[in-house]
Amino acid sequence: MTSAKVGSAQWAFAAIMFLAYPILRPYSSEVGMEGAEAFGETSWVIAHVCAMLGFIAIALAMRSLEQLVGPSAGASAASVAVVVTWIGVGLTLAYYGAEAFALNALGAKAVSDADPAIMELADPIRNGAVQISMFGIGLLLVLIGGVYAALAVRSSGILPSWSGLPLAAGLILFAPQFFAPPAVRIAHGVLMFVGCLILAWAFWKARTLRTDLVTSAA
């Protein structure tokens, strides 16, 4: 079943990206020259690009979920998951782009000029009213999409009823983990990895089950 096979790959890719994000991300006080050095590292860009790719993979995987559970009772919940997740991911990516590229350029400039005053621009880049509102709404919508995806999985009768819950938990905790220490943020990355990997397994299992049914019918 194409949607199950593709969806499995999408969830597996998302799992790797969300694990890489907190592991690769440099941690610091994010102020002064210490913050500039962290922002200016190549790993800062790579980590945030991993997060962006993870969100894109989740959005695509939601479409695969909709296709997979389409004939079942989970169809309406899956459709809601697709719409709100796609909108949420679009809003979230704009903020992550600034985090990945604007702060990296800012940090690199502060380091090259040995001028920590440049870092004063980090706050308006991150916390301006428009961008922080877009980011907050985006994460909320992705969270809602994750909850509806879990409901779709539970109602489908095609996937294990519990298999959407770990991802939903990871998405619920996505915003709070930003205020946690590095160890907790990495633990959250592990939770996202497990949640996405469980769905990758569930989709692959659904594909195998369908293949077995077709073979036995023949």
Side-chain angles (χ1 to χ4, degrees), residues 113-197:
D113 292 358
D115 184 4
I118 295 174
M119 288 294 290
E120 294 176 5
L121 294 172
D123 186 69
I125 289 173
R126 280 181 151 178
N127 298 320
V130 175
Q131 55 265 46
I132 202 69
S133 296
M134 287 177 61
F135 187 51
I137 293 169
L139 285 179
L140 177 61
L141 290 174
V142 174
L143 182 164
I144 293 171
V147 171
Y148 270 93
L151 292 173
V153 168
R154 181 178 180 181
S155 304
S156 69
I158 298 170
L159 300 164
S161 61
W162 56 271
S163 58
L165 295 178
L167 175 65
L171 293 175
I172 289 169
L173 295 172
F174 210 98
Q177 59 93 23
F178 288 126
F179 305 98
V184 175
R185 297 195 64 175
I186 293 172
H188 177 263
V190 173
L191 174 60
M192 289 293 296
F193 173 80
V194 171
C196 291
L197 202 62

Side-chain angles (χ1 to χ4, degrees), residues 66-91:
E66 183 183 37
Q67 293 173 341
L68 181 63
V69 306
S72 73
S76 59
S79 295
V80 173
V82 169
V83 172
V84 297
T85 301
W86 277 63
I87 296 172
V89 167
L91 292 172

Side-chain angles (χ1 to χ4, degrees), residues 25-90:
R25 183 192 190 279
Y27 295 95
S28 74
S29 65
E30 299 190 358
V31 296
M33 291 307 295
E34 182 184 359
E37 290 170 0
F39 291 165
E41 290 186 25
T42 302
S43 57
W44 178 270
V45 175
I46 294 172
H48 286 80
V49 168
C50 284
M52 289 189 278
L53 291 174
F55 278 114
I56 292 170
I58 281 184
L60 295 173
M62 290 294 185
R63 177 58 178 151
S64 295
L65 173 65
E66 183 183 37
Q67 293 173 341
L68 181 63
V69 306
S72 73
S76 59
S79 295
V80 173
V82 169
V83 172
V84 297
T85 301
W86 277 63
I87 296 172
V89 167

Side-chain angles (χ1 to χ4, degrees), residues 195-208:
C196 291
L197 202 62
I198 287 172
L199 282 168
W201 163 79
F203 270 61
W204 189 261
K205 182 179 178 182
R207 172 188 177 275
T208 303

